[in-house]
Amino acid sequence: FFYQRVQLSSPPYYTNMPHSFGVRARTRHMFAKKFRQHGMPHLSQYMLPVKVGDYVDIFANPSIHKGMPHKHYHGRTGIVFNVTKSSVGVRVNKYVNGRILEKRIHVRIEHIRPSKCQKEIISRVKANEAAKKAAREGGEQVDLKRHPNKPKEGYFLAAPGGDGTVTTIQPLPFSDLV
């Protein structure tokens, strides 16, 4: 048998588009500002009081390209470990191949928001301390544990007639009309 090699006169045809693996690949909506929210950040963003140990949310501002975090860190919460002139060092956990690594990244202040993840805990600690102080002064025991919500109490519905009489409805007896 003779195998003949066929040469194509035109370049080879691809069945699909080439795949891109760029730094900002698949960030069409992630790095896009909302409607009527375009433009530069406010000056208050640059005056943000950030201290070492603060919890911050990394939220990339697409209008500032300098110091922008990688798309993986967008929306993640971390702890500040370093504060420089125009940027913030943040410790963030990253899941890689079945293990969690602590990554240290530096991000410009425009891409940082103060996190609200500790707000509920701090308010609960304050309320518990006040309750403990009141219990100490009153000389009684107080339960500070969180409990799941109990089911609602049962109640009787008022009859819908207004006069309070209940009407019983029954089907008509079968009668053969043939």
Side-chain angles (χ1 to χ4, degrees):
F1 290 100
F2 242 93
Y3 290 106
Q4 211 174 14
R5 184 190 247 166
V6 179
Q7 257 189 337
L8 295 173
S9 59
S10 58
Y13 292 99
Y14 296 109
T15 55
N16 54 2
M17 296 290 287
H19 198 178
S20 63
F21 294 98
V23 175
R24 289 179 64 149
R26 292 171 287 283
T27 58
R28 177 180 184 177
H29 301 293
M30 185 188 293
F31 290 162
K33 288 205 158 187
K34 291 186 172 65
F35 178 60
R36 295 183 65 192
Q37 299 294 317
H38 298 272
M40 291 293 126
H42 301 291
L43 286 179
S44 60
Q45 179 67 37
Y46 293 97
M47 305 294 185
L48 199 67
V50 180
K51 301 186 298 295
V52 173
D54 284 355
Y55 281 81
V56 291
D57 294 332
I58 299 170
F59 202 90
N61 189 342
S63 61
I64 307 293
H65 297 168
K66 272 189 165 185
M68 185 184 265
H70 188 265
K71 64 191 173 191
H72 176 271
Y73 300 107
H74 180 80
R76 307 277 170 159
T77 303
I79 302 171
V80 175
F81 74 90
N82 187 20
V83 179
T84 64
K85 178 171 62 74
S86 58
S87 69
V88 174
V90 185
R91 294 186 337 223
V92 191
N93 288 337
K94 184 177 182 181
Y95 185 81
V96 181
N97 292 338
R99 65 199 194 278
I100 297 174
L101 303 177
E102 183 188 80
K103 307 284 276 189
R104 290 170 166 248
I105 61 170
H106 277 82
V107 183
R108 275 177 86 106
I109 194 75
E110 295 97 313
H111 309 291
I112 291 294
R113 292 179 184 176
S115 181
K116 296 177 183 172
C117 66
Q118 294 277 297
K119 188 180 272 187
E120 194 265 340
I121 296 169
I122 291 168
S123 64
R124 200 159 45 84
V125 167
K126 285 181 183 174
N128 286 355
E129 291 301 321
K132 276 197 266 187
K133 188 177 179 185
R136 252 185 262 117
E137 290 167 359
E140 71 229 10
Q141 290 268 332
V142 63
D143 184 21
L144 299 175
K145 292 184 178 179
R146 291 176 290 172
H147 297 289
N149 292 335
K150 293 182 175 139
K152 292 180 183 174
E153 289 287 325
Y155 59 94
F156 291 101
L157 277 173
D163 55 354
T165 58
V166 178
T167 308
T168 306
I169 301 173
Q170 292 180 339
L172 293 171
F174 176 76
S175 62
D176 195 6
L177 299 174
V178 178

